[in-house]
Amino acid sequence: MDNVSLIRIEAGDLNDAKSVLTVFVDQNKECYSFQNLEKDNVLDRLWTVVFKLLADPRNESIHELCLKCIRMLSRDKTNLDKFVNEERIELLLNFAALIGATADKIGSVKDFTIIVEALKCLCNLAFNSMKVQAICCSNGTLDGVIRRLRMHPDMNLRHAVKYFDVKLLYILSALSPDIRPRLKEELHALTYLMEALDFILKEGGGYSHDNQLQYFPYLDDNAVELSCEILKVLFNLTIKILRVGTDEEDERADRLLTILRELLLSSTPPHLEKELHKHIINLLTNLPVSSYEMLMPQEEVEYNWEAIDVIINFLDYKLSSNEGKSFETLSPVLKVLTEGSQFHKVLRKHVRNRVLPPLRNVKSKPEEGDTLRNKLCRLLTSTNTKLRDAVAEFLFVLCKENVGRMIKYTGFGNAAGMFASRSMLGEAVANAEYSSDSENSDTEEYREYKDQINPVIGCVEPKRTNTALESMTEEQKEYEVMKLVNAMDKLQREGVIQPCIIDADGRPQPVEHISQLQEELPKQQL
């Protein structure tokens, strides 16, 4: 966009404006910076003329083009605040049908393209400008989005409108925490968001994408993407709120957990499955642990562990991926499983059986292999202390916070960092013999090799042979020993080292000659 082209738009000829803006949009589809337009004040003038064209109903034929231009310009946050004001935001809200005459009649609107483009503009502006955030939080934006949430069952409401509505709500609730209480208490956003998820699940029906009857719904790409955005908003609105534990909050949490369980068990496109699970698990970290029982409903005498297994499988997936060593990635799922296991005895038992099953392979180190236990034990020596501590806490809870059992499954060397941070090293040594409770679950393989297991490395230590000594005669061994004694004696006489023995009071006492060490050895061992 140069000065000449801009003059053509400012002249007011609609055809010229359409031609110039079309070229600008086509050339800048992947552009995120427009600093090259600062010369001759082109950027400021472009913002002004585009909004002027947009405000005139007679220019309806190029309104979509104007909105595309604004969407691209709004990607550049540099000096963005000077190009926006309440009047311009209100104009975009009208085109997005969030306020104004079309807000309650959106289901009958024929062309949703304009609405979606306006919503994209608002999302970009709200994300990149604190000024726009403040404007949207004080005008009718939030009311309009919540009103449209209630319209989700309307079959005429397009997916793109729903998606960018919720995306705008997510951006505002994430970047403007002060609005969260109003969204929750005055606008009842939690209720409407849960109803939106309910509708998505019901719309998924009882059939999979290949028309095979199944109990849990199939969610297509659109349904999963919209669900993820809703879950992100719910996460923002439940931070430090639902963990209070009032009767109303507990009831709402139970309902939400029921929905989350159905989402966990729904059939989804493989490329989106883990993304959906990630956002569900993130949200679970905000919910009261007492409500986790909704994830494992009791059916007659047994519990249904399908949803819990999905969460455990997600942990396994993350441990196997390139993100496995990231605290940010693993922290939510570890938190959910750790706190759930602490609160629910039956949950701890099930998770332990999946993560720390009875030991059978006692000849390999705990960190060697591809099982969940192996992958977690490898992280116990991670240089990332936050991740190491989170993994150690999880395993320690599964071991019922029993030091001996922790050593049994992880090896003392791997768990030493946790024992040291908790000042439990002495207790770890004292509890080297495992509790009777842990022995009851010992396998035949473990009992067979138990006496040969080195508790430091957590497995049977292979026998080592000293090939150098084995090839020597007794005379050669004696000769090498004397060389060593003479070398140590020389170091002592030169003051380099000072060998000592321990006296009756437990204090070190220097020896006069190195040979005294051999004479005193039986006493020292005793």
Side-chain angles (χ1 to χ4, degrees):
M1 177 75 69
D2 55 22
N3 192 40
V4 176
S5 299
L6 188 57
I7 291 174
R8 288 174 59 193
I9 302 177
E10 292 173 331
D13 185 284
L14 198 60
N15 290 328
D16 272 354
K18 183 175 182 179
S19 176
V20 173
L21 290 177
T22 299
V23 172
F24 178 80
V25 168
D26 288 342
Q27 290 180 342
N28 293 279
K29 288 180 179 178
E30 304 299 326
C31 187
Y32 286 81
S33 176
F34 297 93
Q35 298 309 298
N36 60 315
L37 301 181
E38 292 285 358
K39 187 179 179 180
D40 297 324
N41 207 27
V42 170
L43 187 58
D44 196 354
R45 289 161 57 200
L46 180 58
W47 274 93
T48 301
V49 72
V50 170
F51 269 102
K52 182 179 179 181
L53 292 170
L54 194 62
D56 191 340
R58 295 173 296 178
N59 300 326
E60 183 179 356
S61 61
I62 64 168
H63 279 171
E64 182 183 346
L65 201 54
C66 291
L67 288 167
K68 286 183 177 179
C69 184
I70 294 170
R71 171 166 57 85
M72 292 175 185
L73 292 173
S74 62
R75 294 170 180 166
D76 187 354
K77 63 174 65 177
T78 309
N79 299 321
L80 188 57
D81 285 356
K82 75 176 185 179
F83 303 129
V84 292
N85 54 42
E86 291 188 24
E87 183 181 351
R88 290 180 177 180
I89 296 301
E90 185 173 345
L91 181 61
L92 291 174
L93 288 170
N94 271 287
F95 274 98
L98 287 174
I99 63 173
T102 59
D104 294 322
K105 302 177 182 178
I106 189 172
S108 60
V109 175
K110 293 181 180 179
D111 187 5
F112 283 91
T113 307
I114 292 289
I115 296 173
V116 173
E117 279 298 330
L119 283 170
K120 290 179 180 179
C121 292
L122 288 166
C123 286
N124 281 357
L125 289 166
F127 183 75
N128 288 322
S129 168
M130 293 181 65
K131 180 179 179 181
V132 175
Q133 295 164 22
I135 293 172
C136 289
C137 291
S138 60
N139 59 15
T141 304
L142 299 176
D143 304 77
V145 172
I146 297 302
R147 180 168 57 248
R148 206 136 71 195
L149 265 176
R150 300 166 63 181
M151 298 171 62
H152 276 212
D154 187 340
M155 300 304 294
N156 292 319
L157 189 61
R158 307 293 174 82
H159 163 75
V161 176
K162 297 177 183 179
Y163 177 81
F164 285 104
D165 274 348
V166 179
K167 192 173 190 68
L168 179 59
L169 189 59
Y170 165 68
I171 292 170
L172 293 174
S173 62
L175 301 179
S176 302
D178 293 345
I179 68 168
R180 294 172 189 169
R182 178 171 180 252
L183 281 169
K184 175 179 175 286
E185 296 163 13
E186 182 182 332
L187 298 177
H188 309 292
L190 286 176
T191 299
Y192 297 127
L193 288 165
M194 286 192 285
E195 288 179 354
L197 285 177
D198 247 339
F199 177 71
I200 290 172
L201 289 166
K202 289 175 183 175
E203 199 176 29
Y207 292 86
S208 64
H209 60 291
D210 55 0
N211 292 323
Q212 295 297 312
L213 183 64
Q214 59 179 29
Y215 181 72
F216 291 103
Y218 171 76
L219 306 182
D220 61 17
D221 286 34
N222 288 345
V224 175
E225 289 172 355
L226 180 56
S227 296
C228 287
E229 289 301 313
I230 293 174
L231 291 168
K232 286 156 66 176
V233 180
L234 284 168
F235 178 86
N236 290 340
L237 299 185
T238 54
I239 294 175
K240 298 181 180 179
I241 292 180
L242 281 176
R243 299 180 75 84
V244 174
T246 63
D247 291 343
E248 182 182 354
E249 298 292 1
D250 286 346
E251 183 179 346
R252 184 178 292 151
D254 286 350
R255 182 190 172 194
L256 182 52
L257 261 295
T258 303
I259 295 172
L260 295 184
R261 179 178 184 273
E262 194 166 351
L263 279 174
L264 281 170
L265 298 179
S266 60
S267 176
T268 61
H271 66 286
L272 291 174
E273 180 185 64
K274 300 306 178 185
E275 185 70 11
L276 177 63
H277 294 169
K278 178 184 77 173
H279 292 299
I280 293 172
I281 291 168
N282 286 347
L283 179 54
L284 285 173
T285 62
N286 287 349
L287 305 182
V289 185
S290 58
S291 294
Y292 283 12
E293 60 187 18
M294 307 306 294
L295 293 174
M296 43 184 188
Q298 191 167 5
E299 299 173 353
E300 297 181 356
V301 295
E302 296 184 353
Y303 290 87
N304 186 312
W305 298 111
E306 290 178 289
I308 300 298
D309 284 336
V310 171
I311 297 175
I312 298 173
N313 292 339
F314 179 84
L315 170 64
D316 196 9
Y317 166 78
K318 286 299 180 183
L319 288 170
S320 303
S321 69
N322 293 330
E323 307 171 21
K325 295 182 180 179
S326 164
F327 173 74
E328 291 71 20
T329 299
L330 288 172
S331 175
V333 64
L334 287 173
K335 180 183 172 80
V336 168
L337 291 174
T338 302
E339 294 188 352
S341 298
Q342 283 178 316
F343 193 89
H344 299 278
K345 180 181 178 181
V346 291
L347 176 58
R348 182 195 60 78
K349 185 176 180 180
H350 178 76
V351 176
R352 185 197 68 203
N353 287 336
R354 284 288 311 273
V355 179
L356 300 176
L359 286 177
R360 297 189 184 281
N361 182 4
V362 293
K363 294 186 178 181
S364 298
K365 294 180 180 180
E367 64 271 22
E368 294 176 349
D370 295 320
T371 67
L372 261 172
R373 167 177 167 255
N374 301 146
K375 296 171 186 176
L376 288 166
C377 284
R378 284 197 284 272
L379 295 178
L380 289 175
T381 52
S382 169
T383 55
N384 185 327
T385 55
K386 287 185 177 180
L387 177 58
R388 179 200 69 194
D389 293 345
V391 171
E393 175 71 16
F394 174 50
L395 293 175
F396 199 45
V397 167
L398 294 187
C399 292
K400 298 171 69 173
E401 302 191 19
N402 180 282
V403 172
R405 186 176 296 182
M406 182 76 169
I407 295 173
K408 171 182 175 180
Y409 282 101
T410 68
F412 179 77
N414 289 328
M418 185 201 74
F419 294 144
S421 64
R422 294 189 175 207
S423 301
M424 297 173 64
L425 280 175
E427 182 181 346
V429 174
N431 285 275
E433 290 296 326
Y434 309 132
S435 66
S436 57
D437 188 20
S438 71
E439 290 191 11
N440 291 336
S441 62
D442 289 347
T443 61
E444 291 183 10
E445 294 90 339
Y446 179 79
R447 285 195 293 268
E448 180 181 353
Y449 292 100
K450 180 178 178 181
D451 294 336
Q452 303 173 41
I453 292 176
N454 182 339
V456 175
I457 61 175
C459 68
V460 175
E461 189 171 16
K463 293 182 179 180
R464 298 180 181 180
T465 58
N466 193 326
T467 54
L469 289 176
E470 286 179 353
S471 62
M472 291 183 182
T473 64
E474 291 301 321
E475 291 76 11
Q476 287 174 319
K477 292 178 184 178
E478 186 175 346
Y479 173 74
E480 292 297 330
V481 169
M482 292 310 300
K483 279 177 62 178
L484 178 61
V485 170
N486 292 332
M488 292 178 64
D489 184 52
K490 180 180 179 182
L491 291 173
Q492 179 189 12
R493 284 186 280 103
E494 293 177 353
V496 178
I497 63 171
Q498 180 60 70
C500 295
I501 60 173
I502 305 299
D503 65 13
D505 296 328
R507 298 175 182 176
Q509 294 293 331
V511 297
E512 295 180 2
H513 190 273
I514 198 71
S515 60
Q516 285 182 254
L517 292 178
Q518 186 175 4
E519 297 170 3
E520 293 288 333
L521 184 60
K523 295 179 182 178
Q524 300 297 311
Q525 291 175 332
L526 183 60

mmCIF file of all heavy atoms in Angstrom, residues 15 40 111 183 219 249 273 390 435 523:
data_model
loop_
_atom_site.group_PDB
_atom_site.id
_atom_site.type_symbol
_atom_site.label_atom_id
_atom_site.label_comp_id
_atom_site.label_asym_id
_atom_site.label_seq_id
_atom_site.Cartn_x
_atom_site.Cartn_y
_atom_site.Cartn_z
ATOM 1 N N ASN A 15 -15.257 1.471 -6.693
ATOM 2 C CA ASN A 15 -14.528 0.504 -7.503
ATOM 3 C C ASN A 15 -13.025 0.583 -7.248
ATOM 4 O O ASN A 15 -12.337 -0.429 -7.170
ATOM 5 C CB ASN A 15 -14.821 0.728 -8.992
ATOM 6 C CG ASN A 15 -16.245 0.333 -9.359
ATOM 7 O OD1 ASN A 15 -16.812 -0.583 -8.775
ATOM 8 N ND2 ASN A 15 -16.833 1.041 -10.319
ATOM 9 N N ASP A 40 4.709 8.729 5.412
ATOM 10 C CA ASP A 40 3.603 9.583 4.929
ATOM 11 C C ASP A 40 2.303 9.342 5.686
ATOM 12 O O ASP A 40 1.206 9.585 5.167
ATOM 13 C CB ASP A 40 3.364 9.371 3.424
ATOM 14 C CG ASP A 40 4.567 9.776 2.575
ATOM 15 O OD1 ASP A 40 5.229 10.759 2.941
ATOM 16 O OD2 ASP A 40 4.827 9.108 1.563
ATOM 17 N N ASP A 111 -26.110 -14.266 5.558
ATOM 18 C CA ASP A 111 -24.669 -14.284 5.327
ATOM 19 C C ASP A 111 -23.929 -14.151 6.650
ATOM 20 O O ASP A 111 -23.910 -13.081 7.256
ATOM 21 C CB ASP A 111 -24.288 -13.136 4.382
ATOM 22 C CG ASP A 111 -22.832 -13.204 3.975
ATOM 23 O OD1 ASP A 111 -22.173 -14.189 4.348
ATOM 24 O OD2 ASP A 111 -22.356 -12.278 3.291
ATOM 25 N N LEU A 183 -18.744 -12.500 35.097
ATOM 26 C CA LEU A 183 -19.153 -13.559 34.179
ATOM 27 C C LEU A 183 -19.795 -14.720 34.932
ATOM 28 O O LEU A 183 -20.799 -15.277 34.493
ATOM 29 C CB LEU A 183 -17.934 -14.065 33.391
ATOM 30 C CG LEU A 183 -17.475 -13.216 32.210
ATOM 31 C CD1 LEU A 183 -16.122 -13.701 31.707
ATOM 32 C CD2 LEU A 183 -18.498 -13.250 31.081
ATOM 33 N N LEU A 219 -17.327 -36.992 18.223
ATOM 34 C CA LEU A 219 -17.176 -35.556 18.038
ATOM 35 C C LEU A 219 -16.279 -35.304 16.831
ATOM 36 O O LEU A 219 -15.150 -35.785 16.788
ATOM 37 C CB LEU A 219 -16.550 -34.907 19.289
ATOM 38 C CG LEU A 219 -17.239 -35.187 20.627
ATOM 39 C CD1 LEU A 219 -16.532 -34.431 21.742
ATOM 40 C CD2 LEU A 219 -18.710 -34.794 20.562
ATOM 41 N N GLU A 249 -21.384 -24.877 44.814
ATOM 42 C CA GLU A 249 -20.201 -25.124 44.002
ATOM 43 C C GLU A 249 -19.950 -26.616 43.839
ATOM 44 O O GLU A 249 -19.560 -27.083 42.766
ATOM 45 C CB GLU A 249 -18.968 -24.455 44.636
ATOM 46 C CG GLU A 249 -19.048 -22.937 44.750
ATOM 47 C CD GLU A 249 -19.013 -22.256 43.392
ATOM 48 O OE1 GLU A 249 -18.951 -22.958 42.368
ATOM 49 O OE2 GLU A 249 -19.051 -21.026 43.344
ATOM 50 N N GLU A 273 -7.495 -35.744 19.536
ATOM 51 C CA GLU A 273 -7.845 -36.426 20.785
ATOM 52 C C GLU A 273 -7.020 -35.920 21.971
ATOM 53 O O GLU A 273 -7.574 -35.562 23.022
ATOM 54 C CB GLU A 273 -7.638 -37.928 20.614
ATOM 55 C CG GLU A 273 -7.982 -38.736 21.855
ATOM 56 C CD GLU A 273 -7.661 -40.199 21.692
ATOM 57 O OE1 GLU A 273 -6.464 -40.534 21.546
ATOM 58 O OE2 GLU A 273 -8.600 -41.011 21.697
ATOM 59 N N ALA A 390 7.650 -33.206 41.448
ATOM 60 C CA ALA A 390 6.260 -33.573 41.148
ATOM 61 C C ALA A 390 6.143 -35.074 40.899
ATOM 62 O O ALA A 390 5.204 -35.728 41.382
ATOM 63 C CB ALA A 390 5.758 -32.792 39.931
ATOM 64 N N SER A 435 7.889 -52.846 54.369
ATOM 65 C CA SER A 435 6.807 -53.128 55.302
ATOM 66 C C SER A 435 6.128 -54.446 54.962
ATOM 67 O O SER A 435 6.186 -54.922 53.830
ATOM 68 C CB SER A 435 5.765 -51.996 55.233
ATOM 69 O OG SER A 435 5.149 -52.004 53.961
ATOM 70 N N LYS A 523 39.888 -54.375 64.848
ATOM 71 C CA LYS A 523 39.200 -53.557 65.867
ATOM 72 C C LYS A 523 38.265 -52.549 65.209
ATOM 73 O O LYS A 523 37.155 -52.304 65.675
ATOM 74 C CB LYS A 523 40.227 -52.829 66.726
ATOM 75 C CG LYS A 523 41.116 -53.743 67.562
ATOM 76 C CD LYS A 523 42.109 -52.922 68.369
ATOM 77 C CE LYS A 523 43.050 -53.830 69.174
ATOM 78 N NZ LYS A 523 44.046 -53.024 69.933
#
